[in-house]
C-alpha cells in the first residue's frame, strides 16, 4: 500500500512539473550568462520537467558563451534548444542542449571568431588569430562529442579551413539552414512552433517563462563597452577636476557616481570583484602621484597605468582593449571641452580662476620684473593658481609641487605670460 501511494505521489509530482523556457536573445555577454546560470539553478531547484532555450542571437563574447555551455552540459534536467537564429556563440550554446529543434527559416553556425577594432565603427572585423580559432574549434568538438553530434561539422562552423566533402567550402565557416541541419543530424527536427517543439521533445506542454529581471537589464546596459568606457572617462575626469578645484564637490560627486556605475555593472554581471576596484583606484592614485607630486613619468606612473589596465582586463576580458580605447578618446575629448569651453560658462565660474584676476593681472612685459620677487599664494597651487605680489595679483604655476593657500612663495622663472614659483622656505 505504501509503495502504491509513493508511486502515486511521484506521478502526481511529474504531472505538475513544468517546462521552463529560458530566452537566449541578443548579444551573448556576461550578464546574460549570469541570468542563464541563475535560471537553470531555479529550474533544478523547483523540479522542472525540462528546460527549453529559445535561441535567437548573432553571437557575442566567447567567454560568456563557454560559461553558458558548461552550465547547460552540467544540468541534471533534460534540455532543448529551439533555434530561430544561432550564429557564432549561439551555435555553441545550442549544441550543448540534449535536443535541437529548428524553427522555419532558422540557421545555425558561422562561428568563426573575429577580432573587432577597439574603436566602434572603425575598421572591419578580421578573423582571430589561429590559436584562438584552434581553441574554440576544440571546444566545439568537445561539445559535439558530448551530445553525439557530427564532430567534423561542428569544427567546420568555427574553422573555415576544415573541409567536409560535398558540404563545406574552404575559406567559409559552415552555416546550415533548418532543413540541412536536420539532414546532417546537427539538429533533431524542424518544427513549426515552440509548442510543436515541446510536444516533439516529449516535454510537459505546461510552461514557465523566465525573463531577465531589472538587474540583468541594467547590467547589460552598464557593461556595454561604449557605455562602460564613457563612465570610466567621466569618473576619471570628475576626480581630476575636483583635485584641481578642491571644495566644489560637484565634479567629485559626478566622478565617483560614474565610477560607481562602472563597477555596479560589473558586479551585477558577475564580472567585477573587490580586486578590480582596488586595482583601479590604486592605479589612479599612482598616476596622480606621478603627475602632481613627483613629475617625470617614471615608475609610479607606469605601475599605475598597468594597474588600471589590469582592472579593465579582469572586468571585460576580450573587450578590455575596446573599453580602454574608447575611454581614452572620451577622456581626451572631455579634457579638450573642459579647458576650451568651460571657463566661458557662467555655471562653471566656481571651478575656474575668476575673470577679475585676469583683469587685474599685469601686462606680459611687466611680469619680467617679478623675477625673484616674493609673495603669498592666494589659492592652493595644484600646480596652478593665483598669488599676490605687493599690490599685484598674478596667475602662477609651481614647478610641480603643491603649495597651500597662504604660503610664502618666490618667483624663480618668467617665460612670457608664465610665472613659475617655488615655496619660500623658513
Amino acid at each position: 500500500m505504501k509503495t502504491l501511494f509513493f508511486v502515486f505521489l511521484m506521478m502526481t509530482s511529474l504531472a505538475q512539473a513544468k517546462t521552463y523556457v529560458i530566452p537566449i536573445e541578443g548579444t551573448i555577454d556576461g550578464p546574460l550568462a549570469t541570468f542563464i546560470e541563475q535560471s537553470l539553478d531555479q529550474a533544478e531547484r523547483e523540479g522542472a520537467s525540462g528546460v527549453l532555450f529559445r535561441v535567437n542571437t548573432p553571437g557575442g563574447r566567447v567567454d560568456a558563451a563557454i560559461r553558458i555551455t558548461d552550465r547547460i552540459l552540467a544540468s541534471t534536467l533534460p534540455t532543448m534548444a529551439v533555434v530561430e537564429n544561432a550564429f557564432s556563440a549561439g551555435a555553441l550554446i545550442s549544441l550543448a542542449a540534449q535536443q535541437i529543434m529548428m524553427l522555419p527559416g532558422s540557421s545555425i553556425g558561422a562561428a568563426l571568431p573575429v577580432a573587432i577594432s577597439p574603436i566602434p565603427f572603425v575598421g572591419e572585423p578580421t578573423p582571430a588569430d589561429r590559436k584562438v580559432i584552434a581553441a574554440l574549434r576544440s571546444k566545439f568538438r568537445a561539445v559535439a562529442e558530448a551530445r553525439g553530434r557530427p564532430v567534423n561539422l561542428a569544427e567546420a562552423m568555427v574553422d573555415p579551413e576544415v573541409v567536409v566533402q560535398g558540404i563545406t567550402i574552404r575559406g567559409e565557416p559552415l552555416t546550415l539552414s533548418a532543413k540541412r541541419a536536420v539532414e546532417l543530424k546537427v539538429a533533431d527536427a524542424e518544427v513549426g512552433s515552440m509548442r510543436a517543439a515541446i510536444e516533439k521533445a516529449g516535454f510537459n506542454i505546461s510552461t514557465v517563462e523566465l525573463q531577465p529581471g531589472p538587474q540583468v537589464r541594467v547590467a547589460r546596459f552598464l557593461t556595454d563597452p561604449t557605455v562602460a568606457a564613457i563612465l570610466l572617462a567621466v569618473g576619471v575626469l570628475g576626480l581630476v577636476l575636483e583635485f584641481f578645484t578642491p571644495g566644489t564637490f560637484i565634479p567629485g560627486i559626478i566622478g565617483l557616481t560614474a565610477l560607481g556605475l562602472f563597477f555596479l555593472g560589473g558586479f551585477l554581471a558577475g564580472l567585477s570583484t573587490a580586486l578590480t576596484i582596488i586595482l583601479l583606484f590604486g592605479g589612479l592614485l599612482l598616476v596622480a602621484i606621478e603627475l602632481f607630486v613627483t613629475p617625470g613619468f617614471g615608475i609610479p606612473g607606469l605601475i599605475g597605468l598597468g594597474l588600471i589596465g589590469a582592472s579593465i582586463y579582469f572586468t571585460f576580458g576580450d573587450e578590455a582593449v575596446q573599453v580602454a580605447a574608447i575611454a581614452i578618446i572620451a577622456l581626451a575629448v572631455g579634457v579638450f571641452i573642459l579647458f576650451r569651453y568651460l571657463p566661458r560658462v557662467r555655471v562653471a565660474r566656481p571651478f575656474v580662476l575668476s575673470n577679475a584676476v585676469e583683469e587685474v593681472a599685469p601686462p606680459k612685459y611687466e611680469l619680467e620684473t617679478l623675477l625673484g620677487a616674493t609673495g603669498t599664494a592666494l589659492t592652493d597651487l595644484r600646480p596652478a593658481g593665483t598669488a599676490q605680489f605687493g599690490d599685484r595679483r598674478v596667475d602662477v604655476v609651481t614647478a610641480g609641487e603643491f603649495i597651500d593657500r597662504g604660503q610664502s612663495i618666490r618667483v624663480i622663472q618668467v617665460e612670457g605670460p608664465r610665472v613659475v614659483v617655488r615655496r619660500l622656505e623658513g
Side-chain angles (χ1 to χ4, degrees):
M1 187 70 177
K2 290 183 178 179
T3 302
L4 290 175
F5 181 69
F6 177 75
V7 171
F8 173 76
L9 287 179
M10 288 293 295
M11 293 179 64
T12 303
S13 177
L14 290 173
Q16 292 177 343
K18 298 181 179 181
T19 299
Y20 279 52
V21 179
I22 303 175
I24 301 178
E25 298 174 335
T27 302
I28 304 298
D29 53 20
L32 181 63
T34 300
F35 162 67
I36 293 171
E37 290 169 342
Q38 293 173 346
S39 297
L40 277 169
D41 291 343
Q42 178 182 344
E44 292 169 352
R45 186 172 59 250
E46 296 178 359
S49 65
V51 176
L52 183 157
F53 299 101
R54 189 171 64 243
V55 183
N56 184 19
T57 173
R61 290 180 55 161
V62 173
D63 57 348
I66 291 176
R67 279 178 57 191
I68 296 170
T69 298
D70 290 345
R71 182 61 184 87
I72 294 174
L73 290 172
S75 177
T76 57
L77 298 173
T79 56
M80 170 177 56
V82 179
V83 175
E84 183 173 343
N85 286 297
F87 298 117
S88 191
L92 179 62
I93 294 170
S94 298
L95 290 172
Q98 292 173 342
Q99 298 185 66
I100 299 178
M101 303 291 175
M102 305 292 291
L103 293 173
S106 59
S107 299
I108 184 171
L112 173 65
V114 296
I116 301 175
S117 170
I119 306 174
F121 314 116
V122 176
E124 294 292 329
T126 57
D129 183 86
R130 287 299 305 177
K131 291 181 180 179
V132 177
I133 294 175
L136 188 58
R137 173 180 166 179
S138 175
K139 185 64 178 179
F140 267 73
R141 179 184 183 87
V143 173
E145 288 176 344
R147 293 308 191 199
R149 306 193 189 281
V151 171
N152 57 345
L153 297 182
E155 291 181 323
M157 291 181 180
V158 179
D159 192 344
E161 298 302 314
V162 174
V163 177
V164 181
Q165 191 66 32
I167 299 176
T168 66
I169 301 174
R170 184 179 296 276
E172 294 183 8
L174 178 63
T175 304
L176 299 172
S177 65
K179 182 178 180 180
R180 192 65 169 150
V182 175
E183 289 176 353
L184 297 174
K185 302 188 183 305
V186 171
D188 296 286
E190 182 178 4
V191 294
S193 65
M194 297 285 292
R195 182 182 180 89
I198 293 173
E199 293 175 345
K200 182 78 174 178
F203 284 20
N204 192 329
I205 199 66
S206 180
T207 62
V208 174
E209 291 269 353
L210 300 181
Q211 292 292 335
Q215 173 178 323
V216 175
R217 292 195 293 270
V218 169
R220 298 189 80 175
F221 173 75
L222 293 178
T223 55
D224 177 85
T226 302
V227 174
I230 292 175
L231 288 173
L232 180 60
V234 171
V236 173
L237 189 62
L239 294 182
V240 169
L241 186 57
E242 178 66 31
F243 187 80
F244 278 107
T245 57
T248 55
F249 299 115
I250 295 178
I253 292 173
I254 293 174
L256 290 175
T257 300
L259 289 178
L261 290 173
F262 174 83
F263 284 111
L264 176 63
F267 269 113
L268 293 178
L271 302 174
S272 292
T273 63
L275 175 62
T276 59
I277 297 179
I278 294 172
L279 288 174
L280 179 61
F281 280 99
L284 291 174
L285 178 61
L286 287 176
V287 171
I289 291 174
E290 180 65 41
L291 291 176
F292 306 116
V293 179
T294 58
F297 200 76
I299 294 178
L302 291 174
I303 295 176
L305 291 176
L307 293 179
I308 293 172
S311 173
I312 297 174
Y313 177 77
F314 288 148
T315 301
F316 290 93
D318 295 338
E319 295 178 334
V321 175
Q322 183 179 2
V323 172
I326 298 173
I328 291 172
I329 294 173
L331 186 59
V333 171
V335 170
F336 172 78
I337 294 175
L338 181 66
F339 288 98
R340 181 72 174 83
Y341 298 106
L342 187 63
R344 303 180 183 180
V345 182
R346 178 177 297 179
V347 296
R349 288 178 183 172
F351 309 126
V352 296
L353 293 176
S354 171
N355 290 338
V357 174
E358 298 178 2
E359 293 171 1
V360 300
K364 294 179 181 179
Y365 68 87
E366 291 186 12
L367 294 176
E368 297 177 357
T369 63
L370 292 173
L371 186 61
T374 60
T376 305
L378 294 180
T379 65
D380 291 332
L381 307 183
R382 301 193 175 189
T386 309
Q388 184 85 31
F389 299 94
D391 58 353
R392 295 180 179 179
R393 298 177 66 184
V394 183
D395 293 344
V396 299
V397 63
T398 73
E401 62 180 331
F402 288 171
I403 300 177
D404 294 332
R405 181 175 57 184
Q407 291 283 312
S408 297
I409 56 175
R410 181 187 300 275
V411 178
I412 61 172
Q413 187 178 6
V414 177
E415 294 180 343
R418 185 168 178 266
V419 179
V420 183
V421 300
R422 177 179 295 166
R423 181 186 288 106
L424 188 62
E425 302 293 344

